[in-house]
Amino acid sequence: MANHVYRFPQFSLRFAPIWRRNFLVWKKLAKASVLGNVADPLITLIAFGYGLGSLLKSIDGIPYIHYLASGSICMSIMMAASFEALYSAFSRMHVQKTWEALLNAPLSLDDVLLAEALWAATKSLFSGIAILLVMFALGIGLHPATILVLPLLFLTGLCFAAIGLVINALARNYDFFTYYFTLVLTPMIFLSGVYYPVAQLPHWLEQLSQFLPLRATVELVRPIILGGWPDRVAFNLAIILIYSVGAFYLATILTRRRLLT
């Protein structure tokens, strides 16, 4: 039994119907869902971009609203993927017993978890595309290279979905997620260069923050949206991939312990 719990995930194309099932359920409430995920970053962009931007005109020669928008889209992807992998996945696993029903079919738990992670990443990408359209309307990122951020946003969504599934496997109720949002995600936002350059942080904290997945995403996405090319591409991609693979494997172990032992 122990070997079963710790073995590496084994995937098959059977995850696809589960992903499709989640998509069809979401499709019924798609407008409200996308609006909810876009409203918060849009309010932040307008309030801080134009409010604080009237006092802080630019950062390193970049108009502050452009600087903020290119960081906020990364934050929004993180939050959208996290909400889906936490609240929605927990509902399907624990409250609605959807996972239990799926496991009565010829499906493995590995397939279910992969479908959940990919669906959370997909849903976050939908929100990211909507935010990009808002940015285009504001005249931000209007150049062909911006299309390159889409795979980066999907990969970021997958990373935070995997981390969210770890927390989901540990949670006993919805209140547990408050600790994760308050003690992990919120501090990460302020340490990752979303609102201001990480160079403003104390040196030791700035060095520590370079290993955060959100900072890695911001450092990849922001330069592309602003018309440049990111530094340390391999390093930042490696950070995101390590978190994605490591968190998914840990989520698989913890979920097997919870549901299959």
Side-chain angles (χ1 to χ4, degrees), residues 208-248:
L208 183 64
S209 72
Q210 69 181 321
F211 299 104
L212 298 175
L214 181 58
R215 176 176 171 179
T217 300
V218 171
E219 290 192 353
L220 290 170
V221 169
R222 174 172 282 142
I224 297 175
I225 289 179
L226 298 179
W229 189 252
D231 298 323
R232 306 196 308 169
V233 174
F235 175 81
N236 287 317
L237 281 176
I239 291 293
I240 298 172
L241 288 171
I242 289 170
Y243 272 98
S244 301
V245 174
F248 188 83

Side-chain angles (χ1 to χ4, degrees), residues 12-27 84 92 98-99 102 107-108 110-126 154 157-158 161:
S12 71
L13 292 177
R14 288 175 295 182
F15 79 87
I18 307 172
W19 182 97
R20 184 173 180 272
R21 179 260 174 205
N22 290 343
F23 171 74
L24 291 175
V25 171
W26 170 82
K27 190 177 178 181
E84 184 65 24
R92 289 189 285 268
T98 303
W99 289 17
L102 290 171
L107 298 168
S108 71
D110 296 357
D111 294 321
V112 175
L113 288 172
L114 178 61
E116 290 288 347
L118 290 174
W119 166 242
T122 305
K123 185 178 177 183
S124 69
L125 181 60
F126 291 158
F154 181 83
L158 190 62

Side-chain angles (χ1 to χ4, degrees), residues 78-101:
M78 177 187 76
M79 299 300 286
S82 297
F83 268 101
E84 184 65 24
L86 294 172
Y87 290 97
S88 297
F90 185 81
S91 294
R92 289 189 285 268
M93 177 187 72
H94 186 70
V95 180
Q96 300 169 353
K97 303 295 185 181
T98 303
W99 289 17
E100 184 177 312

Side-chain angles (χ1 to χ4, degrees), residues 71-84:
S72 292
I73 190 171
C74 302
M75 175 186 68
S76 300
I77 291 291
M78 177 187 76
M79 299 300 286
S82 297
F83 268 101
E84 184 65 24

Side-chain angles (χ1 to χ4, degrees), residues 45-65:
L45 186 60
I46 293 174
F48 284 89
Y50 289 105
L52 185 58
S54 64
L55 303 174
L56 180 62
K57 297 296 184 182
S58 65
I59 293 179
D60 297 330
I62 304 167
Y64 184 67
I65 191 168

Side-chain angles (χ1 to χ4, degrees), residues 241-256:
L241 288 171
I242 289 170
Y243 272 98
S244 301
V245 174
F248 188 83
Y249 178 54
L250 180 58
T252 303
I253 293 173
L254 295 175
T255 309
R256 286 171 183 163

